[in-house]
């Protein structure tokens, strides 16, 4: 009863999110096999939006000390404090243990937003990528743009190429960049709508760093699909995602300069879209090798729960109560 009372107060007039049973049944079968007992606690977090948490990524191009004070008063603390291999001082992200969302800022043309709300685990691929000033960077599947914005909080790339094939998502990406990045810097960002599978052939060995935040079965969102027909279709097409992810990765490897590195990420628990895809790449592309990211994982283990037993070049963030970040899979490779 208390929970439903809280729900009413939280949603005030907003329709409550409904679980999509078709998706839950599908996940239940797959993830019980894959994760065993862990799935029960992960499922409890994923199916309860009231216990989700949101991180606040500050925009260094629109700084406000007042905002940092407000966050501190509201019980937020810096998300990344451990001895991380890579943590630029300009990347500031705040989180708190209690659920709830800081008020979002509306897009206003010509006015920069002060912060971006996101799942804190979304920043792990960016930290793993370790972008340095002057490097040429490709964000292959960039929409909605949170990771692109985070990369620009960390460093000033030489060339920054943000690509998004989907038309609607591409418009969303452009708006995000306009909302967070000031004019002179915006001009150095190239936004394209190319098929990511072809970029490697179009731009061979052009980039020092490539991020492949691949289209995946987005576990959190799919669980709340409001259209059952669309959800059913998604589940049928789900089998084809790993093939697309493999092709995107192969293209990304072609676009990388020798010595360059690549980070692959998804927001699904699915082994078929995570480890299996990376293993297939490692077995079929002799010009890439895995990069150990276990030090990064160790440094952030206070705030994130990771699946044990993964290999050193990969990690999987598991949502749990009080640390409801993820799912987020991250793997790093070097050419």
């Amino acid at each position: 009863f208390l929970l439903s009372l809280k729900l009413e107060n939280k949603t005030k007039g907003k329709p409550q999110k409904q679980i999509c049973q078709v998706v839950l049944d599908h996940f239940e079968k797959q993830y019980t096999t894959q994760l065993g007992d862990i799935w029960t606690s992960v499922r409890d977090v994923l199916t309860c939006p009231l216990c989700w948490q949101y991180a606040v990524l500050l925009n260094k191009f629109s700084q406000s000390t007042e905002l940092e004070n407000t966050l501190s008063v509201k019980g937020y603390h810096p998300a990344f404090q451990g001895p991380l291999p890579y943590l630029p001082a300009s990347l500031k992200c705040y989180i708190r243990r209690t659920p709830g969302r800081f008020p979002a800022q509306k897009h206003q043309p010509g006015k920069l937003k002060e912060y971006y709300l996101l799942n804190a685990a979304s920043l792990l691929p960016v930290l793993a990528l370790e972008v340095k000033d002057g490097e040429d960077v490709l964000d292959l599947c960039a929409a909605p743009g949170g990771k692109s914005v985070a990369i620009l909080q960390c460093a000033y790339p030489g060339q920054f190429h943000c690509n998004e094939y989907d038309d609607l998502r591409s418009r969303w990406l452009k708006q995000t960049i306009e909302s967070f990045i000031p004019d002179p810097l915006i001009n150095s960002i190239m936004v394209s709508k190319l098929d990511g599978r072809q970029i490697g052939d179009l731009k061979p060995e052009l980039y020092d760093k490539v991020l492949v935040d691949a289209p995946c079965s987005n576990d959190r969102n799919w669980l709340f699909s409001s259209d059952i027909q669309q959800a059913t279709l998604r589940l049928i097409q789900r089998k084809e995602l790993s093939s697309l992810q493999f092709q995107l990765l192969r293209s990304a490897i072609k676009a990388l300069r020798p010595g360059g590195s690549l980070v692959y990420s998804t927001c699904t628990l699915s082994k078929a879209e995570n480890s299996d895809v990376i293993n297939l790449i490692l077995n079929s592309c002799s010009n890439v090798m895995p990069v150990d990211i276990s030090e990064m994982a160790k440094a952030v283990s206070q705030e994130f729960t990771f699946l044990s037993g993964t290999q050193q070049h990969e990690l999987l963030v598991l949502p749990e109560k009080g640390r409801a970040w993820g799912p987020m899979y991250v793997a790093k490779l070097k050419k």
Side-chain angles (χ1 to χ4, degrees):
F1 170 72
L2 273 174
L3 193 64
S4 63
L5 200 67
K6 272 186 193 164
L7 255 170
E8 276 172 35
N9 291 339
K10 274 262 166 61
T11 49
K12 281 202 181 111
K14 280 188 198 164
Q16 280 173 36
K17 286 184 166 187
Q18 295 293 321
I19 295 279
C20 180
Q21 198 58 46
V22 180
V23 175
L24 183 59
D25 293 346
H26 180 88
F27 283 0
E28 197 74 51
K29 212 178 286 177
Q30 182 186 348
Y31 294 151
T32 304
T33 309
Q34 194 183 301
L35 298 168
D37 296 343
I38 302 168
W39 165 240
T40 313
S41 58
V42 170
R43 182 194 59 207
D44 290 349
V45 173
L46 289 181
T47 54
C48 174
L50 277 187
C51 67
W52 294 0
Q53 291 152 280
Y54 295 86
V56 183
L57 173 67
L58 303 196
N59 185 11
K60 71 175 181 187
F61 304 112
S62 173
Q63 274 185 330
S64 148
T65 40
E66 201 181 307
L67 174 60
E68 289 196 61
N69 294 336
T70 306
L71 288 166
S72 171
V73 167
K74 289 187 178 287
Y76 283 83
H77 62 273
F80 305 105
Q81 300 180 82
L84 277 143
Y86 171 85
L87 182 63
S90 52
L91 180 79
K92 290 184 176 179
C93 177
Y94 284 83
I95 58 174
R96 63 175 182 180
R97 281 287 161 96
T98 46
R101 189 198 283 250
F102 200 69
Q105 290 182 312
K106 283 201 165 60
H107 173 71
Q108 294 175 297
K111 192 171 190 290
L112 292 183
K113 291 186 182 183
E114 293 181 343
Y115 56 87
Y116 189 96
L117 299 179
L118 76 176
N119 185 320
S122 303
L123 293 175
L124 295 177
V126 174
L127 291 174
L129 197 60
E130 303 191 19
V131 175
K132 296 177 179 65
D133 288 350
E135 289 183 325
D136 296 330
V137 181
L138 167 63
D139 188 349
L140 192 70
C141 316
K147 292 181 183 69
S148 299
V149 165
I151 286 169
L152 289 165
Q153 301 304 313
C154 295
Y156 293 97
Q159 280 186 59
F160 192 24
H161 181 177
C162 300
N163 182 67
E164 178 54 54
Y165 186 46
D166 182 88
D167 194 45
L168 188 68
R169 288 173 63 82
S170 180
R171 289 204 294 273
W172 189 4
L173 169 66
K174 279 182 181 155
Q175 191 180 79
T176 302
I177 290 171
E178 277 167 28
S179 293
F180 287 91
I181 311 305
D183 258 349
L185 189 56
I186 269 194
N187 301 336
S188 68
I189 301 168
M190 175 184 159
V191 179
S192 67
K193 285 200 320 189
L194 300 165
D195 182 336
R197 293 169 293 189
Q198 292 164 6
I199 280 185
D201 290 325
L202 295 168
K203 299 180 179 292
E205 303 198 342
L206 211 66
Y207 303 99
D208 302 296
K209 301 277 163 78
V210 179
L211 175 63
V212 184
D213 186 40
C216 66
S217 33
N218 183 330
D219 295 357
R220 268 183 201 242
N221 286 352
W222 283 25
L223 277 166
F224 294 94
S225 309
S226 49
D227 182 333
I228 290 182
Q229 272 177 312
Q230 187 200 29
T232 311
L233 187 64
R234 271 177 174 168
L235 293 173
I236 293 165
Q237 293 171 337
R238 190 179 194 210
K239 294 183 186 75
E240 293 155 30
L241 277 169
S242 54
S243 166
L244 169 65
Q245 292 154 347
F246 176 76
Q247 289 169 53
L248 288 168
L249 269 172
R250 254 208 330 218
S251 172
I253 291 163
K254 283 182 186 172
L256 256 191
R257 289 186 180 127
S261 46
L262 172 156
V263 168
Y264 173 74
S265 60
T266 73
C267 50
T268 179
L269 297 161
S270 171
K271 184 172 169 288
E273 297 174 50
N274 295 339
S275 309
D276 291 358
V277 174
I278 290 295
N279 289 338
L280 194 57
I281 280 287
L282 288 170
N283 291 331
S284 60
C285 302
S286 57
N287 60 343
V288 287
M289 52 188 273
V291 178
D292 187 348
I293 53 171
S294 57
E295 281 305 309
M296 180 185 84
K298 215 178 291 170
V300 297
S301 58
Q302 283 296 101
E303 300 296 353
F304 299 92
T305 305
F306 297 107
L307 178 68
S308 59
T310 55
Q311 297 179 84
Q312 289 185 315
H313 60 272
E314 58 177 359
L315 57 86
L316 178 63
V317 180
L318 300 172
E320 66 168 36
K321 286 205 170 78
R323 298 196 287 187
W325 314 115
M328 179 61 58
Y329 175 80
V330 183
K332 187 170 183 176
L333 308 173
K334 184 175 180 145
K335 188 167 181 178

